[in-house]
Amino acid sequence: MTQGIILTSFDGDATDIVHQKAEQRHYSDFNSYVASVASWRVEKPVFNIDVCIDCQNCWVWCPDTSIISRDKQMLGIDYDHCKGCGVCVEVCPTNPKSLLMFSEQSGLDEALAAWPEKKKKEEK
Ligand code: SF4
Ligand code: SF4
């Protein structure tokens, strides 16, 4: 029988871990809380605060808890943990969207300068 290995989330005794604050915990190198996945991305979401209505859709739907929101105010993206899946862009309801995907190498100013205008409703 081939033996596997266990990648523990915390170093040392984790018995009372649920009662400890994040800064008190000893995260192992394998724990996604401390491991950056930024190098996985080809594209990244860019946030345009001028269009955002703080609906929190992106925060609810992000599969990696990488939307930073405090007191129901969208603040930005945790680029250490965002994997660039684009779900947040899909669920953003504003016109134009407040989150758009750009190449990983794009700078913020460059991305904001390329932001699309509001789309007009099509006449019937
Ligand atoms: S691109 Fe994906 S992982 Fe990154 S913030 Fe948006 S939903 Fe989360
Ligand atoms: S989904 Fe769009 S409008 Fe809603 S909080 Fe996120 S960025 Fe802002």
Side-chain angles (χ1 to χ4, degrees):
M1 181 178 175
T2 306
Q3 291 185 339
I5 60 167
I6 296 173
L7 302 179
T8 54
S9 296
F10 302 99
D11 292 333
D13 183 8
T15 315
D16 196 37
I17 207 81
V18 72
H19 299 298
Q20 292 179 3
K21 292 181 177 168
E23 57 271 20
Q24 297 172 313
R25 297 173 177 172
H26 299 286
Y27 292 95
S28 78
D29 290 343
F30 309 110
N31 194 306
S32 61
Y33 186 80
V34 291
S36 172
V37 296
S39 62
W40 295 13
R41 282 192 309 268
V42 178
E43 290 189 311
K44 64 183 176 187
V46 174
F47 174 51
N48 186 338
I49 196 169
D50 291 339
V51 198
C52 176
I53 57 172
D54 289 321
C55 71
Q56 307 300 295
N57 265 7
C58 54
W59 180 78
V60 168
W61 286 95
C62 173
D64 288 305
T65 327
S66 299
I67 298 293
I68 304 168
S69 177
R70 300 280 183 276
D71 298 325
K72 296 187 180 169
Q73 187 181 0
M74 162 64 165
L75 298 179
I77 295 136
D78 170 1
Y79 284 122
D80 281 338
H81 295 103
C82 165
K83 296 184 181 69
C85 67
V87 167
C88 55
V89 173
E90 288 297 317
V91 299
C92 180
T94 58
N95 177 13
K97 286 184 182 281
S98 314
L99 288 159
L100 286 173
M101 300 304 282
F102 285 86
S103 115
E104 187 61 28
Q105 286 75 35
S106 299
L108 177 61
D109 289 345
E110 182 190 347
L112 292 178
W115 218 264
E117 297 289 320
K118 181 174 183 172
K119 276 189 200 154
K120 293 196 173 122
K121 281 185 185 166
E122 287 177 22
E123 289 184 23
K124 293 180 183 172

